[in-house]
Amino acid sequence: MKVLKFGGTSVGSTKNLLKVINIVDIASRTSNVVVVVSAVGGITDKLLQAANLAIQKSRAYKDVFETIKTNHFDIIEELIQSGSKSNIETILQAHFNELEQLFDGLYLINELTPKTTDQLLSIGELMLSNILTEAFLDRKFDVALKNSQDLIVTDANYTKATVDFENTNENVKTYFKACRASISVIPGFVSRSHNGNTTTLGRGGSDYTAAIIASALDAVELQIWTDVSGLHTANPKLVKQAKPIHNISYQEAVELSHFGAKILYPPTIQPVLNKKIPITIKNTMNADDAGTLISNNNSNENHLPVKGISNINDIALLTLQGNGMVGIPGFSKRLFESLAQEKINVIFITQASSEHSICFGILESDAEQACNSINAHFENEIKLHKIDPIIVEKGLSIIAIVGDRMKSHQGISGKVFSTLGRNNVNVRAIAQGASERNISAVIDKKDVKKALNTLHEQFFEVKTKQINLFITGVGNVGARLIAQIDKQKKFLKQHYKIKLRIIGLSNSRQMLFDENGIDLNAWESQINNGETASLKGFFNAVSTLNLRNSIFIDITANDQVANMYQHYLKQNIAVVACNKIACSSDYEHYNTLKQLSRKYNVPFLFETNVGAGLPVIDTLNHLITSGDQVRSIQAVLSGSLNFVFNNYEDTNTFKDVVKQAQKEGYTEPDPRIDLSGVDVARKILILARESGTVMNLEDIENTSFLSKAGTTSNSVNEFYQTLTDDENHYRDLYNSATSKNCQLKYVAEFNDGKAKVGLKEINEDHPFYNLKGKDNIVMFYTDRYADQPLIIQGAGAGAEVTASGLFADIIRIANN
């Protein structure tokens, strides 16, 4: 004998009922079957809607009732093809007459009691079982219908009746011993009390009906047919990478279900669990899917320590604490008795070993009632200050990591909490049973999706790390970075198990977000249709999405954007900055950002601040962390200025070269930023600070090579005019250098805690002399590199290399 249960959306339409018929047909070819069918979640929702309208004196209940009636007769018309429909129509009409009387009565008395609720809902169950039976008969199946109210005996606790198993088991065995049909149809969820009144079995009641029947008959299998293909490693609606679980133990299934896996309600499967009857969870809409087998066999096809992750939302955490609890027996007993008296279910418990506090989790809807009850029970102790009034925290969720094999694997707890910590998921309370089958943690509700995805990535995915990028500034460099990411994303996933997704983009006008990842082939058109950009709006969107492994990337030269870094770091969002303003701002601000990075264990990288894509800062940091001491730095740090002076010759003018540099993207739109030397001063300041020196921008000596008119110009156009007017000034600098067989280079120097920048004539013996094009060069003189400096040289300007430097910082974070 097999027991098959169908319910919810899997019986909510003619199409789905036809699938149920086909599934039962196949199953009945090899075994007698009991079909438990339930309308809970379908017809019952409409019945309750009509009832609530009736008690609110709304005549609209009649419209809902007529809709229910029409739907049922439509199903009959579609489902019953060959035989007469008169018999089932007569049966249904009798049920509808009863329903109409109930609704009219509710309209008059304005009250829906638990007893009436059970009467109302039972009619929906009985109608569905009648329809399905008639459909089987129409197809010449060997079928019998039995009202489960004649079998399942309960007390009179309406809507949550308790089963009398002794009488129920006897009734089931007696009926099925006499029943000769190969298919038996039974309505789920409904029962009858000892005194003959209609009752229902509460949450999960239809599963409970099936489990009761299966247990009484010692069935070989209980199949629960739903609208999903079994249990998953996590909630598929929250974790897209969730995978079906093909095999799971009873204990694992109960743990996952207790903590939110909605396919099963643990109390309802207790009857079959006691007899170790296998349970299979299958999908009515995809009957060929393997589904999940729940059995006593603790097989694990992947040999993974963790079988699944689940969660419960809308949790309140209550804490009873006080010095008067220490060493005094009875506090726990009184606490939980007070909750039991109010019929409040405790989901989560943890207690400090000091006995100073007890912490427990309940549904948020029960919090106020629990608080009042506990404070009343401990009123005397609270007055005497032996304990504190109960502390209530709301807006929380519980996540649970479940697996029988966890106890034989070391370090599972460490992986769980380090993974959550790296993603700024604060854990409020922790509980782990002695069986080590379950690790539970209470977290903020807003962090649930991030926590589930992070843990799922850690324990179930092929170590592919998903990195979520949010880019502000999508001009020349930003566009190159997006193109590089698009080109390399498949390579990174295949070879380095890194999955890069750009979730947010912003320019100065619009911003665009897509939680599933922006289409990198259409981002330019999409951002033009995005929402109005704002720094606060962008930050709020990033924070609200709350995705794991998030990185904010600043490719602007905007001081207001730089001022947002601290907010991102505090949210455990990594920052990659092309913008030099933050790291060259007041030392106190720079130091605050570095401290926040350490405090929240979140990366703050700015390699492209110096040398574009050259590994200058990374190399410097390795020198410092390995114990070396920087004594001197000499560098040409402006690819723009190097390009200008390398191309300034007898055959052109200084203005022509500056214009060319701007056109080729080597200078900022305002070339005064580059030619004033401030940009170079910022760079040497950053290197000095990263070397361990406390210094501000005003401490750097900046000797400008610009003419007086050039330094005081008020606009870009005015500045270009000064270059024309003062060509002789720049020609004199050039002639002076060439007369000495020297090259002009704009040099940054750091020596003995002091820094300066300025134009220098470099002789042919110096490493700077042959520096070509837009190249940068940095020479580190350290304790280890005292005689021959450590030299880094290469392209130090240009959108492509700058984008590659940003890309490198992203990969550094991904590999962290």
Side-chain angles (χ1 to χ4, degrees):
M1 180 76 75
K2 291 181 180 180
V3 178
L4 282 65
K5 177 261 172 179
F6 299 89
T9 57
S10 67
V11 293
S13 67
T14 304
K15 179 181 178 182
N16 289 345
L17 284 170
L18 288 170
K19 291 185 177 182
V20 169
I21 292 168
N22 185 57
I23 291 166
V24 173
D25 180 23
I26 294 170
S28 65
R29 295 173 189 174
T30 57
S31 169
N32 286 351
V33 297
V34 179
V35 178
V36 177
V37 61
S38 174
V40 171
I43 301 166
T44 52
D45 288 346
K46 291 186 173 63
L47 292 172
L48 289 173
Q49 179 189 0
N52 286 319
L53 288 169
I55 63 176
Q56 293 167 18
K57 291 290 186 182
S58 171
R59 289 280 181 181
Y61 81 87
K62 289 184 175 291
D63 296 331
V64 178
F65 171 71
E66 288 300 325
T67 300
I68 296 171
K69 190 174 179 179
T70 301
N71 288 345
H72 277 71
F73 283 109
D74 285 347
I75 289 173
I76 291 172
E77 191 64 33
E78 296 170 354
L79 205 59
I80 312 301
Q81 297 293 328
S82 57
S84 171
K85 303 178 180 65
S86 59
N87 181 51
I88 184 62
E89 287 174 345
T90 301
I91 293 171
L92 286 189
Q93 189 58 54
H95 285 308
F96 281 121
N97 291 340
E98 185 181 356
L99 274 176
E100 191 167 24
Q101 290 177 1
L102 279 172
F103 287 137
D104 291 343
L106 291 172
Y107 183 82
L108 292 173
I109 64 175
N110 307 113
E111 183 182 9
L112 180 61
T113 65
K115 183 177 180 180
T116 306
T117 300
D118 279 357
Q119 285 181 276
L120 189 70
L121 298 183
S122 68
I123 295 172
E125 303 300 315
L126 295 173
M127 287 195 296
L128 182 59
S129 60
N130 275 287
I131 291 172
L132 188 60
T133 302
E134 193 67 26
F136 283 133
L137 290 170
D138 184 56
R139 289 160 177 76
K140 312 302 181 186
F141 286 15
D142 180 20
V143 64
L145 171 65
K146 182 63 176 175
N147 189 341
S148 54
Q149 292 174 311
D150 298 334
L151 303 176
I152 300 175
V153 183
T154 69
D155 63 10
N157 184 21
Y158 299 107
T159 72
K160 295 180 182 179
T162 300
V163 175
D164 176 350
F165 277 98
E166 184 176 349
N167 286 320
T168 297
N169 288 339
E170 183 63 31
N171 291 342
V172 172
K173 289 176 181 177
T174 300
Y175 170 75
F176 280 98
K177 186 175 182 179
C179 180
R180 294 292 178 261
S182 59
I183 301 171
S184 298
V185 177
I186 293 177
F189 186 61
V190 295
S191 49
R192 187 174 288 136
S193 67
H194 290 101
N195 56 14
N197 290 325
T198 295
T199 56
T200 59
L201 299 177
R203 177 186 169 190
S206 53
D207 287 355
Y208 200 17
T209 302
I212 290 167
I213 302 297
S215 175
L217 296 177
D218 293 318
V220 296
E221 181 185 13
L222 168 59
Q223 295 180 3
I224 297 177
W225 291 82
T226 70
D227 55 359
V228 293
S229 299
L231 291 166
H232 283 68
T233 50
N235 184 343
K237 293 180 180 178
L238 298 176
V239 181
K240 291 191 174 182
Q241 289 76 27
K243 306 170 184 177
I245 300 173
H246 298 305
N247 293 279
I248 192 169
S249 71
Y250 291 114
Q251 292 78 13
E252 290 171 325
V254 168
E255 292 280 5
L256 283 173
S257 301
H258 176 72
F259 285 100
K262 299 185 185 303
I263 294 177
L264 286 176
Y265 182 48
T268 65
I269 62 170
Q270 197 64 41
V272 293
L273 192 152
N274 291 338
K275 290 195 173 182
K276 296 182 171 52
I277 296 170
I279 305 169
T280 304
I281 312 294
K282 299 276 283 182
N283 189 342
T284 308
M285 272 61 82
N286 294 289
D288 293 334
D289 288 357
T292 299
L293 174 63
I294 305 171
S295 68
N296 201 41
N297 179 17
N298 188 20
S299 66
N300 188 328
E301 60 265 33
N302 296 318
H303 305 288
L304 297 172
V306 176
K307 188 61 71 77
I309 307 164
S310 60
N311 68 286
I312 308 176
N313 291 332
D314 302 315
I315 294 295
L317 193 65
L318 281 68
T319 304
L320 184 69
Q321 64 182 21
N323 294 327
M325 294 172 57
V326 179
I328 306 299
F331 271 97
S332 297
K333 176 177 178 292
R334 291 172 60 196
L335 170 64
F336 295 114
E337 278 181 348
S338 71
L339 296 171
Q341 289 172 11
E342 301 294 327
K343 297 184 179 180
I344 294 172
N345 182 43
V346 177
I347 302 169
F348 173 102
I349 305 171
T350 185
Q351 181 172 11
S353 57
S354 65
E355 302 180 46
H356 178 267
S357 65
I358 301 172
C359 181
F360 58 94
I362 61 175
L363 291 177
E364 200 170 88
S365 57
D366 293 331
E368 184 176 353
Q369 185 181 0
C371 184
N372 293 336
S373 176
I374 294 167
N375 284 336
H377 273 75
F378 291 95
E379 183 179 8
N380 186 53
E381 287 84 354
I382 292 171
K383 285 182 178 178
L384 295 174
H385 301 291
K386 290 184 177 181
I387 64 171
D388 302 329
I390 195 78
I391 299 170
V392 181
E393 299 173 71
K394 297 182 179 181
L396 303 173
S397 296
I398 297 174
I399 55 170
I401 298 87
V402 174
D404 284 337
R405 294 176 179 268
M406 282 166 37
K407 60 186 176 184
S408 59
H409 284 73
Q410 294 179 344
I412 298 296
S413 295
K415 284 184 179 179
V416 169
F417 297 115
S418 63
T419 299
L420 293 176
R422 282 196 304 270
N423 282 276
N424 199 31
V425 177
N426 185 40
V427 176
R428 290 290 301 110
I430 301 167
Q432 182 173 10
S435 68
E436 299 184 50
R437 186 178 290 117
N438 178 335
I439 300 171
S440 305
V442 179
I443 64 173
D444 196 303
K445 183 179 176 181
K446 70 178 178 62
D447 290 329
V448 165
K449 186 174 182 179
K450 178 164 67 171
L452 291 176
N453 278 276
T454 299
L455 292 170
H456 195 272
E457 187 177 81
Q458 174 67 43
F459 289 107
F460 293 104
E461 297 172 32
V462 191
K463 300 307 175 193
T464 298
K465 191 172 185 179
Q466 182 173 287
I467 305 297
N468 298 298
L469 308 179
F470 299 86
I471 302 174
T472 293
V474 288
N476 198 10
V477 175
R480 295 292 202 285
L481 175 62
I482 293 169
Q484 290 178 12
I485 290 171
D486 189 36
K487 179 182 177 182
Q488 287 298 107
K489 60 185 181 182
K490 289 184 180 178
F491 175 86
L492 289 170
K493 187 175 181 180
Q494 181 179 353
H495 295 278
Y496 294 95
K497 307 304 179 188
I498 296 171
K499 183 180 180 181
L500 293 182
R501 303 191 313 164
I502 298 178
I503 307 298
L505 291 172
S506 179
N507 56 29
S508 59
R509 299 175 302 280
Q510 279 90 30
M511 56 187 186
L512 170 69
F513 293 93
D514 187 336
E515 186 177 355
N516 298 316
I518 293 169
D519 181 356
L520 301 189
N521 294 313
W523 69 269
E524 290 176 280
S525 59
Q526 289 177 0
I527 198 170
N528 290 331
N529 297 316
E531 57 188 293
T532 302
S534 74
L535 298 181
K536 187 175 181 181
F538 195 84
F539 170 74
N540 288 340
V542 176
S543 300
T544 301
L545 284 169
N546 200 22
L547 299 175
R548 66 195 187 279
N549 305 322
S550 291
I551 305 176
F552 171 69
I553 304 164
D554 177 13
I555 318 178
T556 73
N558 188 298
D559 58 344
Q560 294 181 0
V561 177
N563 287 334
M564 295 296 295
Y565 294 175
Q566 57 186 316
H567 302 294
Y568 285 98
L569 294 171
K570 287 177 182 177
Q571 291 296 316
N572 207 253
I573 297 166
V575 174
V576 170
C578 184
N579 189 342
K580 290 181 279 293
I581 291 175
C583 290
S584 60
S585 62
D586 183 76
Y587 181 82
E588 185 176 340
H589 179 64
Y590 159 84
N591 195 45
T592 296
L593 295 177
K594 299 286 281 189
Q595 288 178 343
L596 287 172
S597 173
R598 289 189 289 269
K599 178 180 179 179
Y600 292 98
N601 192 31
V602 56
F604 171 42
L605 301 183
F606 41 91
E607 181 65 72
T608 54
N609 277 196
V610 181
L614 296 177
V616 177
I617 293 175
D618 188 57
T619 301
L620 175 57
N621 288 335
H622 284 307
L623 289 173
I624 300 300
T625 54
S626 67
D628 204 354
Q629 183 72 36
V630 174
R631 299 302 177 187
S632 174
I633 302 172
Q634 294 183 30
V636 173
L637 296 173
S638 174
S640 310
L641 286 171
N642 201 42
F643 177 89
V644 167
F645 287 110
N646 278 337
N647 288 278
Y648 186 35
E649 299 171 342
D650 293 326
T651 58
N652 56 20
T653 67
F654 196 70
K655 177 185 176 180
D656 293 337
V657 179
V658 174
K659 279 279 191 181
Q660 183 185 354
Q662 185 185 40
K663 182 180 179 181
E664 295 188 22
Y666 298 138
T667 72
E668 298 291 340
D670 184 348
R672 291 175 298 175
I673 297 172
D674 298 279
L675 273 64
S676 67
V678 172
D679 191 59
V680 176
R682 291 183 185 278
K683 292 177 181 179
I684 195 64
L685 172 65
I686 292 168
L687 294 181
R689 286 175 171 178
E690 291 294 292
S691 301
T693 300
V694 177
M695 181 182 288
N696 281 313
L697 190 61
E698 57 267 25
D699 299 325
I700 298 175
E701 180 185 339
N702 184 351
T703 305
S704 176
F705 67 86
L706 294 174
S707 66
K708 184 176 180 180
T711 58
T712 58
S713 58
N714 294 316
S715 68
V716 174
N717 288 336
E718 185 180 334
F719 176 70
Y720 273 120
Q721 185 58 49
T722 69
L723 297 186
T724 301
D725 296 341
D726 298 331
E727 171 62 23
N728 289 337
H729 168 77
Y730 302 107
R731 183 61 61 184
D732 288 344
L733 295 174
Y734 171 78
N735 290 335
S736 175
T738 54
S739 66
K740 301 171 188 174
N741 198 25
C742 292
Q743 293 274 358
L744 287 173
K745 303 295 178 187
Y746 198 86
V747 178
E749 298 176 275
F750 171 69
N751 294 290
D752 299 326
K754 295 182 180 180
K756 62 181 180 179
V757 296
L759 194 64
K760 281 195 162 188
E761 296 177 347
I762 303 297
N763 63 50
E764 57 186 349
D765 296 328
H766 198 283
F768 293 173
Y769 183 85
N770 291 311
L771 200 62
K772 301 299 181 183
K774 58 184 182 294
D775 282 6
N776 281 192
I777 185 169
V778 181
M779 301 194 303
F780 290 114
Y781 289 89
T782 70
D783 288 347
R784 295 173 187 160
Y785 295 90
D787 298 322
Q788 294 294 327
L790 174 60
I791 299 176
I792 301 168
Q793 180 177 342
E800 204 69 47
V801 293
T802 304
S804 71
L806 291 166
F807 204 164
D809 272 348
I810 293 168
I811 300 305
R812 287 186 185 98
I813 294 173
N815 286 328
N816 186 12

